[in-house]
Amino acid sequence: MLNRVILIGRLTRDPELRYTPAGVAVTQFTLAVDRPFSQGKEREADFINIVTWRQLAETCANYLRKGRLTAVEGRLQIRNYDNNEGKRVYVTEVVADNVRFLESGNVGGNREEGAGSNPSYSGGGGNNNNRYGGSREQQDPFIDDGKPIDISDDDLPF
Amino acid sequence: MLNRVILIGRLTRDPELRYTPAGVAVTQFTLAVDRPFSQGKEREADFINIVTWRQLAETCANYLRKGRLTAVEGRLQIRNYDNNEGKRVYVTEVVADNVRFLESGNVGGNREEGAGSNPSYSGGGGNNNNRYGGSREQQDPFIDDGKPIDISDDDLPF
Amino acid sequence: MLNRVILIGRLTRDPELRYTPAGVAVTQFTLAVDRPFSQGKEREADFINIVTWRQLAETCANYLRKGRLTAVEGRLQIRNYDNNEGKRVYVTEVVADNVRFLESGNVGGNREEGAGSNPSYSGGGGNNNNRYGGSREQQDPFIDDGKPIDISDDDLPF
Amino acid sequence: MLNRVILIGRLTRDPELRYTPAGVAVTQFTLAVDRPFSQGKEREADFINIVTWRQLAETCANYLRKGRLTAVEGRLQIRNYDNNEGKRVYVTEVVADNVRFLESGNVGGNREEGAGSNPSYSGGGGNNNNRYGGSREQQDPFIDDGKPIDISDDDLPF
DNA sequence: TTTT
DNA sequence: TTTT
């Protein structure tokens, strides 16, 4: 009914950009979000999986890099799929619709450069067709083999 | 660094109240949070695990029931533990520090009644000692056997 | 850079629907949001102005009524305009892009009924053209006289 | 009932630290939060007043400076007071309970240095006595004259 | 494994 | 009255 997540943390590695068979961009990365520090304990963090789609996915792939401080806004999603041993697996991730790059850096070096100089960061609206994930038959897009991931067009969140 | 989750949904079942060996109250429940509806699809929801501690845990156990519309504020946490086959398992949950009961109902019937008539809903502060979960050796408090769950005092989030 | 507000409260009166000269729907209402109760004090609340645009404005006008418990998501905006004594006035409001009706009631009675039976609640995206308010020359849309309010098409938030 | 604001922006000036007559620290600053950019318009921002109390107030005064990128979490509050012409004035501000310094810089130079090297940023809990502001008789703590501001001990938010 |  |  209402589902909002806001995080600030650092990328644990470079983002991964892929395309669905229909050619829709998907970028995935993990954010290390420090927990409130308590003395007498070692530092701790939560490692939270983020997914972005379409234009935002391409912007993230172009501008984010491992270690960068980043703010993410989105919704919490729990997908499930059956793995190769026929066991149900649950995947929790944040489907981001807004990503802010809090450290600029000289990015874009080893990837195709973002064309314009004015990157737009927020997931464009559209028809609010938020349905990525959830159905039993769905495959995990993060378990892949280099080939285009097997999700259909209507697996998209908007 | 910053980690905030806000959800509105309905309890999938009655909340479960337990106590740590040190006598600290823990309540767990699951919130069904409807996804934005898109035509041509069946209705979908995310089922999100919520944990509350101490006073808030007891208030939730006393006042929440299956089906109730509820707002939850907290932080997203990813714990991990090794299951009985020695395999690492990851558990995602929202550690709530604020819970709002959006439907009152005639609650408290089949449980011990909340003493006062003015339930306080938000997790009292304290020493900001947020460290529940995360370490490798930790056991899942939700895998239990009726006996007090095996987590030590310093597994508490505040 | 990032600007997110989430509120739950009750309408202090029925919402007001108007149209810009270009025919764009704007609905305004005020939410009474209770503060955390502290003993020895009288109950207190913040009265927060909400604005919605376009389709969401019409849905709110059709389905919300005074007293209804409502959740609002949006961004905090500070507009300013010069009043009739030439003094700068600052207006703070939440521009909502998502509104959840937490109490249904038998609404729509004294207004035109929402056509379909499946009201959509969230502000459809579009071209992310969020610029309502802010410029010096702008008039306050909430100071009006029954006539269409004097704001141009590009005063719209998206 | 639920009231949560999360902002990322830059300080428009150095923060101002004061003390209530009872000796409680209050720090105020303004955050410039850029609006989503829309082409064909000049860049715009909302200027949002932030208040912090006690330990968090002192940490903010020690570590924040004009221009610094900063994340703020808190609740939206509308206070009112009667100005010297007997007119009711409304003040909107965010009462922060969590502030994150997203740019470190070499701070603390021209003020008393923060004692420890490990600044804690979030508003310590306590007795959840959130009642700052709101009552008719209250004076605006930000209209002052160099002397300790005239608010009593129970004007504090926790 | 799930709620209205 | 405002920040990069």
Side-chain angles (χ1 to χ4, degrees), chain B residues 21-32:
Chain B
V24 181
V26 201
T27 292
Q28 198 264 358
F29 56 91
T30 297
L31 219 55

Side-chain angles (χ1 to χ4, degrees), chain B residues 24-158:
Chain B
V24 181
V26 201
T27 292
Q28 198 264 358
F29 56 91
T30 297
L31 219 55
V33 180
D34 287 339
R35 297 190 184 166
F37 181 72
S38 51
Q39 64 268 56
K41 308 275 174 66
E42 71 259 59
R43 222 166 194 355
E44 287 179 322
D46 290 289
F47 297 93
I48 301 175
N49 293 321
I50 315 291
V51 204
T52 64
W53 288 90
R54 302 180 189 273
Q55 174 57 48
L56 182 56
E58 303 197 315
T59 310
C60 286
N62 282 334
Y63 288 89
L64 287 178
R65 285 297 172 277
K66 177 179 177 178
R68 292 280 158 72
L69 191 66
T70 306
V72 163
E73 228 189 311
R75 67 184 177 82
L76 186 53
Q77 174 178 265
I78 287 118
R79 285 185 299 120
N80 62 72
Y81 66 98
D82 296 316
N83 66 8
N84 34 20
E85 293 121 33
K87 233 189 103 187
R88 176 66 47 83
V89 180
Y90 292 88
V91 178
T92 302
E93 59 210 359
V94 171
V95 183
D97 49 49
N98 189 12
V99 176
R100 298 290 151 182
F101 311 153
L102 305 177
E103 290 174 350
S104 42
N106 287 0
V107 286
N110 51 348
R111 300 225 187 174
E112 66 278 348
E113 193 69 40
S117 57
N118 208 317
S120 100
Y121 314 83
S122 65
N127 58 351
N128 238 65
N129 206 11
N130 301 33
R131 186 245 173 214
Y132 173 76
S135 70
R136 191 180 206 91
E137 315 76 11
Q138 194 184 347
Q139 195 194 324
D140 184 9
F142 302 127
I143 295 188
D144 86 329
D145 45 6
K147 285 177 265 125
I149 52 179
D150 180 30
I151 48 176
S152 74
D153 246 23
D154 56 25
D155 285 329
L156 298 175
F158 38 73

Side-chain angles (χ1 to χ4, degrees), chain A residues 107-137:
Chain A
V107 287
N110 51 347
R111 300 224 187 173
E112 67 278 347
E113 191 69 40
S117 56
N118 208 317
S120 103
Y121 315 82
S122 66
N127 58 354
N128 239 65
N129 206 11
N130 302 31
R131 186 240 173 217
Y132 174 74
S135 72
R136 189 181 208 91
E137 317 76 9

Side-chain angles (χ1 to χ4, degrees), chain D residues 117-138:
Chain D
S117 56
N118 208 317
S120 101
Y121 314 82
S122 67
N127 58 353
N128 238 64
N129 205 11
N130 302 29
R131 186 242 171 214
Y132 174 75
S135 69
R136 190 179 208 93
E137 316 76 11
Q138 193 185 346

Side-chain angles (χ1 to χ4, degrees), chain A residues 15-139:
Chain A
E16 283 179 43
L17 171 63
R18 304 173 191 186
Y19 290 89
T20 67
V24 181
V26 201
T27 292
Q28 198 264 357
F29 56 91
T30 297
L31 219 56
V33 180
D34 287 339
R35 296 190 184 165
F37 181 72
S38 50
Q39 64 268 58
K41 308 276 174 66
E42 73 261 56
R43 214 153 201 6
E44 287 179 321
D46 290 288
F47 297 93
I48 301 175
N49 293 321
I50 315 291
V51 203
T52 65
W53 289 89
R54 302 180 189 272
Q55 174 57 47
L56 182 56
E58 303 197 315
T59 309
C60 286
N62 282 332
Y63 289 89
L64 287 178
R65 286 296 172 276
K66 176 179 177 176
R68 293 279 158 72
L69 191 66
T70 305
V72 163
E73 225 189 313
R75 66 184 179 81
L76 186 54
Q77 174 176 265
I78 287 118
R79 286 185 300 119
N80 62 74
Y81 66 97
D82 296 317
N83 66 9
N84 35 20
E85 292 120 34
K87 232 189 103 188
R88 176 67 48 84
V89 180
Y90 291 86
V91 178
T92 301
E93 60 211 359
V94 171
V95 183
D97 49 48
N98 190 11
V99 176
R100 297 290 152 181
F101 311 152
L102 304 176
E103 289 174 351
S104 42
N106 286 1
V107 287
N110 51 347
R111 300 224 187 173
E112 67 278 347
E113 191 69 40
S117 56
N118 208 317
S120 103
Y121 315 82
S122 66
N127 58 354
N128 239 65
N129 206 11
N130 302 31
R131 186 240 173 217
Y132 174 74
S135 72
R136 189 181 208 91
E137 317 76 9
Q138 193 183 348
Q139 197 196 323

